[in-house]
Amino acid sequence: MVDKLVEVFRSYGIKHVLGIPGGSIMTLYDALYNQDIEPVLFRHEQGAIHAAEGYARVARRPAVVAVTSGPGAANLVTGLADAYMDSVPLVAITGQVATTIFGRDGFQETDIPGIVTPITKFVYQVRKPAEATAAFKAAYEISMVGRPGPTVIDLPRDIQASPAPSHEERIVVNMEKFIPPPVDEDKVRIAVKYLAEARRPVILVGGGVLWSGATPEVLELSKMLYVPIVSTLPGKAAVPHDFPLYMGPAGMHGRAEADAALANADVILAVGTRFSDRTWGRFKELQEAVRSGRVKLIHIDVDKSEIGKNVKPTVGIVGDAKEALRKIINLLDAAAVSNQKFVAWLLEIRKKYEEAMSNVADSTSGFHPWRALKVLRRAAPRNTILTTGVGSHQMWTEIAWEVYEPGSYITSAGLGTMGFGVPAALGAKLAARDRPVLCIDGDGSFQMTMNNLALVREYDLPIVVVIFDNRALQLVKQWQIYMYQRRIIATEFSKMPDFLKIAEAYNIDAVKPENYAQLESAVARALRNNEPLIVDLTIDSESDIVLPWVKPGDWLTSAILPEGMEVKLTYEED
Amino acid sequence: MRRISIVTPKSLDALGRVIAVTRRAKVQLVDMAVTSEDSLYRVHMKVEGPHDEVQWLVSKLDKLPEVLKIDEGNIDINY
Ligand SMILES: Cc1ncc(C[n+]2csc(CCOP(=O)(O)OP(=O)(O)O)c2C)c(N)n1
Ligand SMILES: [Mg+2]
């Protein structure tokens, strides 16, 4: 029946299958022999699934992964959890031992449905040949409908090898519930009223805005009312950073002006966000302010389980972000509010932060991550797709990397998975070969999945990787410095591999720049010429402290700010 | 005490998913019964806990594609 499955792949326009074969998935791979669907062979299944995440976010449709049973399938677990947290659509097909030996602890038998149950939107173990194509179709469609997410089809080897069935058996699921309901007009009217009466309204943009394609509506609403926009970390990808009213991402390592905007708003329009503790630090202040009526919270989300999960809104609107925002715009009187003073105050905070950081970077010997990102932004064309690892370097990109095109910033936000950057960059490049792809990685993160660099030459995927090489698991070290009285343990590398030699081993050019000019020209040249490059950027660990920082469990206004930045994040109205 | 009634396909995988969600809820599962009917399972739960937590559970369960129907109500009805 695998030929039928390949036909279904083709009918969905699937061009690539990412993964690694093995005994229990060989029949499916065999069906791809001499077909127009290309298997893309990774060096570790974790690489394949993070690449699928990058691919899906760029292509804006589900990516397909195929791996063998047991270890192959188990190696997908981190990526599935990552995709589930960040709402990324993909379908993983895992091989499985033959149905006849289920439960007998056969070679490479693992209960994958049992393992991935809590980290997938849908999982189905095929037990009859006639279910296989229907199960794949259900998995593909479920992964994309409503709030996206990863799905898994577990496909036993005897089923793969069985003759094509004459009929297709229905997979019983309730798909309708994922289709966004029509937006409740009465609630929209209340939201409009609050927005019109607001003195310090703020729009909080989450990753849902990107999937809904609601960026134009967000910008239009912001312009109409002169409302500052703040985002979550995934929402950062949804807003062009040269839009003058975008204050950046708020939260643990967000921008000070964004933290200030959220903490001082009297009306918050939160769109496509799940109220993560990483964005808010803690919820107490917000919950109390909303309960007392001091803050009106309007929450729009396509997933109704998100409304009220962490913070009960004043108005909760279940529906598609684009449609809901369009309705709000249509009902709004454009002349409603325009709080120039509040926005000017926020922009003043931004200016002070930039000045303070510039001074910090000036007084740092060698490269400072904040300035390196400014230089790299200049070197990279506007449509460059950025991926990141996880750690301080990632937090620096949250603060300092400017996104111009929606969807061009790809990071592991909810799960915070080190090792995400390189494979995600490969997947992004596979989905958009005509776009420059840059990965900002940490030396720790890079070492987790660098084996997948083999694909750069094998599939001609010229990505540029800049390793922020601080010889440390810096973000954890920063926590040790501030929260564990500088008791530094297990966060510093004493012996490092030579990254230039690693690059050489994979036949990729590499540089270790000595100054910003060398960094800029090397990266600009590689991206312009569509050539792969690895940059080993030496960063002094002692001065690599990411600020602002809202410590876990603190409220936004207690953000620790960089040296020389004397501002209060509490607004005083005169 | 609240009642949660669920209909799923007659599949232990689906039932396993329902239980996986339920075990993460901050409610006490006082009682649970599964009956079967043609190709369906009917899951009947009695749960005790704060209103918000019961709502959390119901809305998380309702995210499963295998949950074909779910409703929640007072304990005296229909159980
Ligand atoms: C797979 C995984 N293991 C452990 C962690 C915990 N962790 C968070 S950040 C971090 C340090 C990352 O080091 P590196 O990639 O070098 O980035 P840096 O912070 O130094 O910029 C660690 C260990 C994680 N997020 N993911
Ligand atoms: Mg590091």
Side-chain angles (χ1 to χ4, degrees):
Chain A
M1 53 69 39
V2 282
D3 296 329
K4 282 253 185 274
L5 202 54
V6 173
E7 269 172 40
V8 175
F9 290 175
R10 199 171 290 118
S11 73
Y12 281 119
I14 293 162
K15 299 269 185 307
H16 301 102
V17 172
L18 286 53
I20 300 179
S24 295
I25 197 75
M26 283 178 70
T27 313
L28 175 62
Y29 270 89
D30 183 65
L32 294 172
Y33 193 79
N34 267 346
Q35 300 292 318
D36 51 355
I37 297 171
E38 187 183 18
V40 183
L41 179 58
F42 281 79
R43 296 302 187 266
H44 188 294
E45 289 84 356
Q46 186 187 1
I49 191 145
H50 290 324
E53 293 183 82
Y55 188 103
R57 292 204 226 182
V58 171
R60 298 183 62 80
R61 57 193 169 83
V64 176
V65 173
V67 298
T68 194
S69 65
N75 277 346
L76 295 184
V77 169
T78 305
L80 287 168
D82 193 272
Y84 194 55
M85 281 293 242
D86 285 351
S87 309
V88 182
L90 59 89
V91 186
I93 304 173
T94 52
Q96 184 54 281
V97 299
T99 52
T100 46
I101 57 165
F102 269 22
R104 305 295 128 159
D105 303 326
F107 178 64
Q108 297 190 330
E109 178 178 11
T110 301
D111 174 15
I112 278 301
I115 292 172
V116 305
T117 270
I119 52 171
T120 45
K121 194 172 172 192
F122 178 64
V123 48
Y124 197 86
Q125 185 171 60
V126 178
R127 307 272 171 92
K128 291 183 259 171
E131 289 177 344
T133 49
F136 180 81
K137 289 179 197 166
Y140 190 91
E141 277 155 32
I142 288 171
S143 80
M144 200 54 200
V145 65
R147 177 180 181 175
T151 60
V152 170
I153 296 299
D154 197 36
L155 197 60
R157 59 190 301 176
D158 54 333
I159 304 258
Q160 293 172 47
S162 66
S166 55
H167 72 293
E168 190 173 79
E169 206 154 296
R170 208 164 74 87
I171 304 296
V172 182
V173 285
N174 180 344
M175 196 107 72
E176 289 73 52
K177 66 176 157 197
F178 295 111
I179 299 168
V183 171
D184 184 331
E185 307 264 349
D186 290 339
K187 289 191 171 161
V188 168
R189 261 186 281 278
I190 301 172
V192 165
K193 177 174 171 290
Y194 290 147
L195 282 169
E197 290 169 2
R199 291 206 317 277
R200 295 177 308 281
V202 170
I203 304 175
L204 172 64
V205 168
V209 167
L210 197 60
W211 284 110
S212 163
T215 298
E217 284 72 17
V218 167
L219 302 187
E220 187 177 337
L221 187 60
S222 165
K223 268 191 254 174
M224 266 176 94
L225 297 180
Y226 203 68
V227 186
I229 302 171
V230 161
S231 75
T232 63
L233 176 56
K236 176 181 168 75
V239 194
H241 288 33
D242 45 4
F243 183 74
L245 289 171
Y246 178 54
M247 300 298 149
M252 181 173 280
H253 290 294
R255 292 198 60 100
E257 63 270 34
D259 293 341
L262 267 193
N264 294 284
D266 66 343
V267 173
I268 299 170
L269 174 62
V271 193
T273 170
R274 62 186 169 84
F275 285 80
S276 156
D277 50 305
R278 282 289 267 226
T279 307
W280 293 91
R282 67 176 179 223
F283 297 116
K284 198 181 86 195
E285 280 79 358
L286 180 67
Q287 276 162 340
E288 278 167 9
V290 175
R291 205 175 299 132
S292 71
R294 258 185 301 124
V295 169
K296 305 279 190 291
L297 176 63
I298 306 157
H299 187 187
I300 301 173
D301 207 284
V302 72
D303 178 350
K304 70 170 184 286
S305 78
E306 290 302 343
I307 310 263
K309 184 185 77 179
N310 289 342
V311 183
K312 257 212 191 98
T314 323
V315 197
I317 301 176
V318 182
D320 173 57
K322 192 176 179 76
E323 187 195 332
L325 291 174
R326 181 52 56 199
K327 288 222 152 96
I328 290 178
I329 290 167
N330 290 345
L331 286 178
L332 257 177
D333 175 1
V337 272
S338 172
N339 193 339
Q340 312 263 353
K341 267 196 186 155
F342 183 51
V343 173
W345 177 69
L346 297 173
L347 292 176
E348 187 58 29
I349 296 175
R350 169 184 297 177
K351 199 170 130 229
K352 289 197 169 135
Y353 177 75
E354 294 292 306
E355 281 166 8
M357 281 316 302
S358 185
N359 291 336
V360 170
D362 284 346
S363 61
T364 305
S365 61
F367 292 104
H368 188 280
W370 178 85
R371 181 153 291 155
L373 286 169
K374 301 244 165 202
V375 167
L376 286 166
R377 183 63 276 194
R378 271 205 310 271
R382 279 180 75 86
N383 68 341
T384 300
I385 298 167
L386 189 88
T387 72
T388 78
V390 166
S392 298
H393 64 284
Q394 174 199 30
M395 299 295 110
W396 282 119
T397 68
E398 175 174 15
I399 295 167
W401 180 260
E402 304 230 316
V403 175
Y404 298 128
E405 291 197 3
S408 63
Y409 178 75
I410 298 175
T411 195
S412 166
L415 201 67
T417 307
M418 288 173 68
F420 178 82
V422 166
L426 292 167
K429 190 73 185 172
L430 190 62
R433 287 182 177 275
D434 56 335
R435 286 180 71 175
V437 176
L438 173 64
C439 168
I440 302 291
D441 221 344
D443 49 333
S445 295
F446 179 75
Q447 290 184 73
M448 286 199 177
T449 50
M450 63 186 188
N451 47 358
N452 296 293
L453 284 173
L455 277 81
V456 168
R457 289 301 177 191
E458 182 144 8
Y459 294 95
D460 187 23
L461 298 170
I463 57 168
V464 174
V465 183
V466 179
I467 304 165
F468 280 26
D469 184 357
N470 47 27
R471 292 152 312 283
L473 301 171
Q474 185 65 28
L475 195 59
V476 182
K477 183 174 154 184
Q478 176 169 335
W479 288 35
Q480 288 171 342
I481 292 171
Y482 282 78
M483 287 155 45
Y484 291 82
Q485 299 81 43
R486 229 179 198 283
R487 290 157 63 90
I488 311 284
I489 177 163
T491 51
E492 289 177 335
F493 300 129
S494 57
K495 292 275 185 291
M496 292 293 286
D498 185 335
F499 291 132
L500 300 185
K501 286 192 178 144
I502 290 196
E504 193 189 343
Y506 289 107
N507 193 18
I508 298 171
D509 275 354
V511 286
K512 201 171 184 141
E514 277 164 16
N515 53 49
Y516 289 110
Q518 281 178 12
L519 170 68
E520 184 168 351
S521 70
V523 170
R525 187 182 334 108
L527 289 175
R528 189 175 53 239
N529 297 342
N530 204 21
E531 280 163 2
L533 177 72
I534 290 176
V535 181
D536 184 358
L537 194 70
T538 307
I539 281 168
D540 171 34
S541 164
E542 278 310 298
S543 55
D544 185 357
I545 300 294
V546 197
L547 299 175
W549 183 24
V550 181
K551 283 204 247 169
D554 272 359
W555 177 233
L556 297 169
T557 50
S558 24
I560 305 172
L561 299 172
E563 211 183 290
M565 185 179 173
E566 309 297 338
V567 291
K568 271 213 176 65
L569 299 184
T570 310
Y571 185 64
E572 279 160 24
E573 216 163 3
D574 47 33
Chain B
M1 187 125 61
R2 302 290 286 174
R3 164 192 64 85
I4 299 173
S5 308
I6 298 167
V7 178
T8 71
K10 197 180 211 167
S11 147
L12 285 173
D13 290 344
L15 196 59
R17 301 244 298 165
V18 165
I19 289 169
V21 172
T22 308
R23 55 183 276 283
R24 295 181 61 215
K26 292 184 202 145
V27 299
Q28 203 197 338
L29 181 61
V30 179
D31 194 11
M32 179 169 150
V34 182
T35 57
S36 79
E37 192 178 293
D38 301 326
S39 59
L40 301 175
Y41 278 147
R42 289 184 187 280
V43 185
H44 315 269
M45 292 182 191
K46 282 185 200 168
V47 298
E48 201 157 59
H51 173 75
D52 286 356
E53 299 300 332
V54 176
Q55 289 316 307
W56 179 95
L57 175 58
V58 172
S59 53
K60 285 279 185 190
L61 285 168
D62 199 20
K63 285 179 66 154
L64 299 174
E66 303 92 327
V67 168
L68 306 177
K69 258 170 71 179
I70 182 165
D71 70 282
E72 179 225 344
N74 291 327
I75 206 70
D76 45 292
I77 316 167
N78 201 5
Y79 177 45

